[in-house]
Amino acid sequence: MQAINFYKKFRPYSDYIVFGLVLSLAPLMVSIGVLRFAYLTIIAGVVIYAIVALGLNILMGYAGLVSLGTAGFMGVGAYLTAFFTTEIGMGFLPSILLTVAITSIMGIVVGLVSLRVQGFFLAMATLAISEILRQVFIEFSSFTNSFVGRRAGFPSFFALSLDRNQTFILLVAFLVLAMIVTRIITTSYTGRAMSAMSVVSGSEPAAAAMGINILRYKLIAFSIATAFAGLGGALYMHFIRFTIPTDWTFTLSLMFVAVVVIGGVRSVAGTVVGAFVVFGAPDLILANLPVIGDINGMPFVFTGLMIIVVILYYPAGLVYIWQDVKKFMQKRRGAAA
Amino acid sequence: MNIPLQIFLNSLDSGGRLALATMGIILIFRTSSAFNFAQGAISMFCAFIAASFLQATGMNVWVSSLVGVLGAVSIGIIVDRVVIKRTTKLHSVHKQIITLGLVMVFLGLAPMLFGSLNRLYPRFAQGSQTILNASITNGAIVNISIGISVMILLFYIIQKTKWGLGVRATASNDTVARMMGIPTTIITMGAWAVAAALGSLSAMMVAPDVQVQFAMMDSIQITALLACVLGGLGTFFGPVLAAYLIAMSRNFIAFYVSSVWADAIVYLLILAILMIAPNGIFGKKIIRKV
């Protein structure tokens, strides 16, 4: 009884931790044979992309600023950590910390652009920044190895080197951490200040008149989003262990916006659901179907149709399906009584 | 060798391709208030239609390009009727994510229907000319004339005809236009059809250089989006002029400064111009009541 009360007291944080514990059973399922070996990579991808999308959710949902440059910053994170660990010989943890610090400083620079350029123009300005970064990935080959690709190893710290399964659990731990941090930020003064100045949920002039420092919160929002993207990129690098410049395209940036919108703007759980739908479902579901699973290009069509259908019928986000189901059940119970 | 003129003529060619794609995007942006991220994917798909028609029948490039453009028109109409018609009440971010869904659909359909091999596509004309010491291929001359004449025709339609008035009215205020008896749904459908046709024309000009393949329109798509914001979203001519301007500066920078970093420098310049003129070169500041 006491345990349940304790659990309820710390919701939704305790939910996140339970979710993480369940997810970290996946490597065990693979070794038993319930899940296929390749699925672990797909689920790890979902976990990594969910971390990045959580940052974008803070930017889009709370601060009301759209970024189409997420993939570029993720790429920066990936290349930085590869450089730090393989060329300089840094450990995993300092490398991750340094990567996140550098990408969040880059976010502040983007934030400065957002003070002057707004709306659609800002989205396209971030796209331009991301394309510049991609050119750097291609041409600055002494650092990125260009199309040959850059390699890195599984993380190792405190004298232990992780294997694939342990790295997966580390990723899940980072996802849970990211969910908790997102929740803390969005429910704090910072989150409320961001909502107040957002174009969607508030008003910038009104917020400024109430004494909210617009400059400060725009810069904070961008630096959080790019820091999450940099963290995601670094984790990607240490799990997939290989990257080329074509990994960080405009389409990937758009997919992150899709994750946030499909899952539910301003919802932590929704973002994770969205990441599963956009990045996980096509490969996890389609690969099991006979005939259809073998057709080239089918996962793309499936993802595309799913994005279209979900947005047409659930524009508020998939996370609200649960509430609607609850309402429906209550109605039926009411009708029966 | 007259190098500046040579670069200028090349820029008219590449600028024309970019301007066609940009015009398609701004046309849809103005009538449906969303950037069409699927423009490039639809154009790529239509280039595949044209290329496979060419391979199958052996007809000349003009007939197959016409088939490609007709395919684009029908795809535009289908997309509008099936998907876009249902999105009128959605926020523009949602609409844009729907066009991302369309990107995925066309990227998936293309290998299913056409296989994953690259296809060759011939130029509109063979041979080359020398004008004032600058050499130019006949294909480029045809591209330049198609680009410029299509632009003049479109601007004539938009400015002088009744349908053009309808487009402008829909662009300025959809609801009021509908109240005034303008068939905005047909206008929007037409915009999607014309935009798809423009994009596919652009794709057929790009195809001889890079072959018909899945990523052929990616860089044009991104540059066209940037041209839209550089020219300002308030007019039709702004983005088109910006498209020519971008192509021009890209080619001159590639020759005189650095061929490797030309794209990055152009993007930086666009960013710098946006910092100075946040609503684009030809855009007006939107004044909002607080």
Side-chain angles (χ1 to χ4, degrees), chain A residues 209-229:
Chain A
M210 288 294 158
I212 286 168
N213 189 340
I214 301 288
L215 165 76
R216 187 167 152 197
Y217 288 103
K218 275 193 175 174
L219 298 191
I220 289 178
F222 264 106
S223 71
I224 292 172
T226 50
F228 274 57

Side-chain angles (χ1 to χ4, degrees), chain A residues 116 120 139 296 300 311 315, chain B residues 94 96-97 104 260 275-276:
Chain A
R116 187 114 176 95
F120 289 118
E139 304 296 349
N296 197 1
F300 269 113
I311 291 190
Chain B
H94 289 104
Q96 293 176 26
I97 295 304
M104 313 291 300
V260 169
M275 292 298 276
I276 299 164

Side-chain angles (χ1 to χ4, degrees), chain A residues 51-52 54-60 63 65 67 70 73-74 97-114 126 181 185 190 194 197 214-232:
Chain A
I51 294 175
V52 179
L54 280 171
L56 187 64
N57 199 353
I58 294 179
L59 187 69
M60 264 179 72
L65 303 162
S67 165
T70 322
F73 293 104
M74 215 181 145
L97 281 178
L98 197 58
T99 305
V100 170
I102 292 175
T103 44
S104 68
I105 291 169
M106 290 177 78
I108 293 177
V109 177
V110 186
L112 289 174
V113 175
S114 78
T126 54
V181 168
I185 290 173
T190 311
M194 283 178 191
M197 72 170 192
I214 301 288
L215 165 76
R216 187 167 152 197
Y217 288 103
K218 275 193 175 174
L219 298 191
I220 289 178
F222 264 106
S223 71
I224 292 172
T226 50
F228 274 57
L231 174 67

Side-chain angles (χ1 to χ4, degrees), chain A residues 243-268:
Chain A
T243 186
I244 49 172
T246 43
D247 288 339
W248 315 111
T249 55
F250 177 41
T251 314
L252 183 63
S253 297
L254 280 174
M255 301 275 267
F256 284 120
V257 182
V259 166
V260 173
V261 171
I262 283 181
V265 176
R266 298 166 71 94
S267 159
V268 172

